[in-house]
Amino acid sequence: MAAVNDNPSAAGTTLHYIFDPMCGWCYAAAPLVEAARGVPGLKVAFHGGGMMTGANRRAITPQWRNYVMPHDRRIAELTGQPFGEAYFDGLLRDTGAVMDSEPPTTAVLAAEALREGGGLDMIHRLQRAHYVEGRRVADADVLATLAAELGFDRGDFASAFSRLAGEATSRHIAASRQLLQRAGGQGFPTFVLVQADGGASRVDVGPWLGRADEWKAQLATLVVPSPATAAAGAGPASCGPDSCAI
């Protein structure tokens, strides 16, 4: 496959997670992401692809609800991921709500800017807020509340959000889409494992959905430590069948 990392991480192996906060199949893979964060010597890096931005923003309609519900039911059956009544019979009936990936992506970037690993924490919290709690995760007030629930100072988060909104988020989305293209991915989520020497391989997570413990064990066998990591010992962990198309 084409190279996906022009500056390989000296820290060892990195799992690149190309996602969108409004993507149901990314929510399906959320337990795999959380499991990967616990693999010693493996870094997990996120890349928000902006699935529902610009002209692709989408208002909630009865037709949209009818379209997504079968997919959501399938995700629940395959993975055990919960979907709340507040989502099925609340948000998906809220015709005033808009599906917009840009504000939650900015929130993820702001959380990471404030705390290493905070971006992945925010992704996980956004997914639960959307699919279980049925909250409007494109609304600034909701995002600020979620950040506070994760322990971020409201003022610090607001400042980081303001600084990263607009152009900075657009650049991140553009870079994520370029990465997706170079990796040969067809949609979200796409996972790419990059070793310290720059060797890269796309990882099909479809067979691992609903099997987080087995996935974690398999990932551990694929981690190749950098010379520095090997000399010092393993460092701490840090931050299919279907996908969501752009």
Side-chain angles (χ1 to χ4, degrees):
M1 63 179 294
V4 298
N5 187 359
D6 296 329
N7 183 24
S9 170
T13 306
T14 300
L15 182 67
H16 292 272
Y17 170 42
I18 309 172
F19 79 103
D20 187 86
M22 317 302 291
C23 163
W25 288 100
C26 296
Y27 180 54
L32 305 184
V33 176
E34 289 301 299
R37 298 179 73 182
V39 175
L42 179 67
K43 178 180 179 180
V44 181
F46 65 83
H47 308 271
M51 183 177 72
M52 291 185 174
T53 57
N56 290 323
R57 293 183 179 94
R58 185 181 295 273
I60 298 291
T61 63
Q63 292 76 19
W64 177 253
R65 181 177 186 271
N66 291 338
Y67 171 74
V68 300
M69 282 190 65
H71 296 281
D72 294 336
R73 302 281 191 204
R74 185 173 179 217
I75 290 168
E77 291 172 3
L78 278 174
T79 68
Q81 282 286 76
F83 289 80
E85 290 185 12
Y87 168 71
F88 281 139
D89 293 321
L91 182 64
L92 289 184
R93 295 188 186 277
D94 181 2
T95 55
V98 176
M99 305 277 282
D100 184 351
S101 301
E102 186 169 341
T105 299
T106 301
V108 171
L109 296 175
E112 184 65 24
L114 293 172
R115 183 173 72 213
E116 184 177 2
L120 290 168
D121 293 338
M122 180 60 79
I123 293 169
H124 185 75
R125 186 67 189 92
L126 285 165
Q127 290 169 328
R128 182 168 181 81
H130 180 73
Y131 289 106
V132 179
E133 300 162 11
R135 298 162 78 174
R136 292 184 177 189
V137 298
D139 288 8
D141 289 345
V142 173
L143 293 171
T145 298
L146 296 178
E149 292 174 3
L150 290 173
F152 293 102
D153 177 83
R154 281 182 176 268
D156 291 344
F157 178 79
S159 296
F161 187 93
S162 178
R163 174 170 55 86
L164 292 165
E167 184 179 351
T169 298
S170 295
R171 288 198 303 267
H172 173 83
I173 289 172
S176 299
R177 292 190 178 203
Q178 290 171 5
L179 175 61
L180 179 67
Q181 183 178 23
R182 295 201 304 274
Q186 300 300 310
F188 309 119
T190 291
F191 290 84
V192 181
L193 195 70
V194 178
Q195 302 292 354
D197 63 2
S201 58
R202 195 168 65 250
V203 182
D204 178 12
V205 300
W208 302 103
L209 292 174
R211 302 167 57 201
D213 289 342
E214 295 168 79
W215 154 261
K216 182 177 180 180
Q218 174 65 16
L219 272 182
T221 70
L222 301 177
V223 173
V224 178
S226 67
T229 302
S238 59
C239 77
D242 293 276
S243 66
C244 299
I246 296 175

